[in-house]
Amino acid sequence: GDSCCNPQSMGYIKKIVENKIPGIYVLSLKIGSNLIQDMENSFFMNVNDQVREVCSQLAKDPSLKGGYNAIGFSQGGQFLRAVAQRCPSPPMLNLISVGGQHQGSVYGFPRCPGESSHICDWIRKTLDLGAYTQAVQEHLVQAEYWHNPLKEEDYRKNSIFLADINQERGINETYKKNLMALKKFVMVKFLNDTMVDPPISEWFGFYKSGQAKETIPLKETSLYTEDRLGLQEMDKAGKLVFLGVKGDHLHFSEEWFYSTILPFLQ
């Protein structure tokens, strides 16, 4: 529901980073030929196609050839993780995920801008009816990280994006190797998040399988204990950073951003 260059959001983030770190090069990713397409693609463009498009943009940008730091907000955090896993050239150095749903989201939906509320209502109804049908998976972004703990088998079998990057159907050693090449993987969880269900997904936790009440942290998930993505090894090497910030989804102060996030970009 956002766009690359909205002066109230991503455009503002770009501006304050440039102001605080003189000489830095900041690319705010645009997917589509204009801002309207960019916004619509955040709802309706297959995430795998989005990741391919971003990988192409990064590879063609001479300013990034020596490596880059990546920061993604909400679903952008998990999409950039897919970029790290699938596209090692140019190398991603640090990944900062601000409210990204790394184990997916269920029954919740990231905040939409007010003018898109009718789209949000339609998407929620569509997800409830058939999140794991092929048509919905292929054409609705939020379905591609819809993770229903009551339908784990359907999720593993039919999720065309999240189940793949989370190694739910087998181990892709390249994904693991590429993610482990990060210097730091920073995950920001909003402690009063009402948009992501469960909020612990922002730290790679999720519901215990088969129910939707009790959650478990990353270290108790099979993803970690079996080290399917290398997160256990990264954790032991001090590469994983878990940050909590008071507030609802994507609600943070400039002061917090300057003191907590900017050091990872310098």
Side-chain angles (χ1 to χ4, degrees), residues 77-96:
Q78 45 163 312
F79 298 173
L80 278 172
R81 173 164 66 87
V83 171
Q85 291 174 207
R86 294 175 177 175
C87 308
S89 181
M92 188 184 293
L93 306 176
N94 294 298
L95 172 57
I96 303 164

Side-chain angles (χ1 to χ4, degrees), residues 2 12 16 37 75 109 116 128 164 173 188 213 216 221 231 236 258:
D2 200 359
Y12 187 73
I16 64 175
Q37 279 190 3
Q75 64 186 29
F109 187 59
S116 299
D128 285 340
D164 176 65
E173 292 295 343
V188 177
K213 291 184 178 179
I216 56 174
T221 66
L231 293 172
K236 290 176 179 176
Y258 293 151

Side-chain angles (χ1 to χ4, degrees), residues 10-224:
M10 291 301 97
Y12 187 73
I13 295 290
K14 181 177 187 288
K15 180 180 174 183
I16 64 175
V17 171
E18 289 169 339
N19 287 343
K20 286 290 182 176
I21 309 176
I24 196 173
Y25 172 72
V26 182
L27 171 67
S28 189
L29 293 160
K30 180 170 70 173
I31 300 175
S33 59
N34 56 57
L35 299 191
I36 298 293
Q37 279 190 3
D38 191 27
M39 185 275 284
E40 290 176 343
N41 285 338
S42 73
F43 292 118
F44 303 118
M45 183 177 178
N46 185 303
V47 181
N48 296 305
D49 294 336
Q50 292 193 50
V51 171
R52 275 191 287 272
E53 165 64 22
V54 167
C55 290
S56 176
Q57 286 187 35
L58 300 179
K60 292 175 182 174
D61 193 327
S63 298
L64 303 178
K65 64 182 179 182
Y68 63 96
N69 296 311
I71 179 167
F73 295 84
S74 195
Q75 64 186 29
Q78 45 163 312
F79 298 173
L80 278 172
R81 173 164 66 87
V83 171
Q85 291 174 207
R86 294 175 177 175
C87 308
S89 181
M92 188 184 293
L93 306 176
N94 294 298
L95 172 57
I96 303 164
S97 166
V98 184
Q101 311 89 344
H102 291 284
Q103 287 275 24
S105 188
V106 62
Y107 312 131
F109 187 59
R111 185 178 302 281
C112 285
E115 62 268 22
S116 299
S117 59
H118 63 290
I119 297 178
C120 299
D121 290 340
W122 177 84
I123 288 174
R124 288 189 185 100
K125 290 175 184 174
T126 303
L127 289 169
D128 285 340
L129 288 172
Y132 298 122
T133 62
Q134 183 176 353
V136 175
Q137 281 288 312
E138 292 283 351
H139 301 292
L140 187 55
V141 167
Q142 287 69 37
E144 294 173 46
Y145 59 87
W146 194 252
H147 187 174
N148 189 336
L150 306 179
K151 297 183 178 180
E152 287 283 359
E153 192 57 39
D154 283 348
Y155 159 71
R156 280 192 292 270
K157 183 179 177 182
N158 298 311
S159 168
I160 65 171
F161 175 68
L162 190 69
D164 176 65
I165 65 166
N166 280 4
Q167 309 273 46
E168 298 280 7
R169 293 190 287 265
I171 306 300
N172 182 325
E173 292 295 343
T174 301
Y175 283 5
K176 186 172 178 178
K177 173 188 170 189
N178 290 342
L179 191 66
M180 289 174 64
L182 289 171
K183 294 180 179 178
K184 294 286 184 185
F185 180 5
V186 181
M187 288 166 269
V188 177
K189 174 188 169 189
F190 291 90
L191 302 178
N192 310 103
D193 203 316
T194 61
M195 296 295 153
V196 176
D197 183 2
I200 200 172
S201 179
E202 296 167 15
W203 281 349
F204 258 106
F206 200 62
Y207 289 114
K208 270 189 175 178
S209 185
Q211 49 86 58
K213 291 184 178 179
E214 187 180 352
T215 61
I216 56 174
L218 168 62
K219 288 186 178 181
E220 293 179 26
T221 66
S222 58
L223 184 69
Y224 186 94

